Amino acid sequence: MDLIYMNSDMVDIGVLQDFEMDLAFGANENDFECQVPSSTHCCEAGFYLYIEGTEYGGMVGAKKTTSDADSVTFMGRTWHGIMNSKIIEPDAGENYLIVSGDANVVLSAMIARLGLSELFVADENNSGINIPGYQFHRYCKGYDGLRDMLADNGAKLRIAWNDRVVRLSAE
């Protein structure tokens, strides 16, 4: 699998040839570290790394060089972490946010609500999974809230980098 890197304008620059990558996602961690030899140092904060067709990728937030200057490590948030950096809030005057409808339609509305439309899209096809009035916890993290919403309705969140965007779908 090719690990592709792109700049902050989301223009592909190249493929990392020699790297070690550690990604973590779930309830507690949603970040990554990618170590490359100093001779192939290529990324800056705001760049993106991804493997096409998978959930593996995210935004570089920082870099560090080893004390012997042999390698550079890029650190950042996975796609999951980017979603979790956003907070699901109730509408003004309401105590909770309640959503309903086809799961993919709800995902699309939540992407817009979280301000992630430049990077994320939801599958345009109906999922066949109905969300019958789900009430989010007050001020929950985006990824956690969406994952919980789908789990409560017998589904899970699928995330994959495809065609220059992070695609979300319910299955």
Side-chain angles (χ1 to χ4, degrees):
M1 290 192 279
D2 291 334
L3 180 61
I4 301 166
Y5 63 100
M6 62 182 167
N7 65 21
S8 58
D9 293 325
M10 301 184 79
V11 175
D12 288 343
I13 297 174
V15 177
L16 291 175
Q17 298 299 323
D18 186 18
F19 65 91
E20 289 184 28
M21 190 158 189
D22 178 31
L23 295 114
F25 22 80
N28 298 322
E29 298 179 81
N30 289 296
D31 55 14
F32 68 87
E33 288 190 1
C34 181
Q35 186 175 22
V36 299
S38 293
S39 60
T40 61
H41 164 59
C42 58
C43 294
E44 302 294 334
F47 278 35
Y48 297 88
L49 301 174
Y50 69 90
I51 297 174
E52 184 73 28
T54 73
E55 66 184 318
Y56 307 131
M59 178 190 281
V60 175
K63 67 179 180 179
K64 69 179 177 183
T65 305
T66 56
S67 58
D68 59 8
D70 258 1
S71 66
V72 175
T73 301
F74 308 117
M75 300 158 290
R77 296 173 291 158
T78 61
W79 309 130
H80 310 73
I82 292 170
M83 284 190 290
N84 241 9
S85 70
K86 303 294 186 173
I87 301 298
I88 297 174
E89 301 177 8
D91 291 329
E94 298 294 325
N95 291 324
Y96 297 94
L97 176 64
I98 299 172
V99 296
S100 60
D102 181 81
N104 286 345
V105 174
V106 171
L107 289 174
S108 182
M110 293 305 298
I111 289 168
R113 183 179 188 98
L114 294 171
L116 294 170
S117 298
E118 289 186 20
L119 185 59
F120 291 81
V121 299
D123 190 326
E124 295 174 358
N125 298 315
N126 282 344
S127 67
I129 300 162
N130 185 46
I131 307 297
Y134 180 79
Q135 178 177 297
F136 286 100
H137 296 288
R138 292 190 61 159
Y139 302 99
C140 65
K141 294 178 179 181
Y143 172 66
D144 294 343
L146 295 176
R147 189 187 65 220
D148 292 347
M149 173 193 73
L150 292 172
D152 281 2
N153 288 281
K156 64 181 181 175
L157 182 62
R158 176 161 163 64
I159 301 171
W161 177 268
N162 279 316
D163 300 325
R164 316 226 29 88
V165 293
V166 181
R167 295 190 183 276
L168 304 182
S169 61
E171 57 182 41

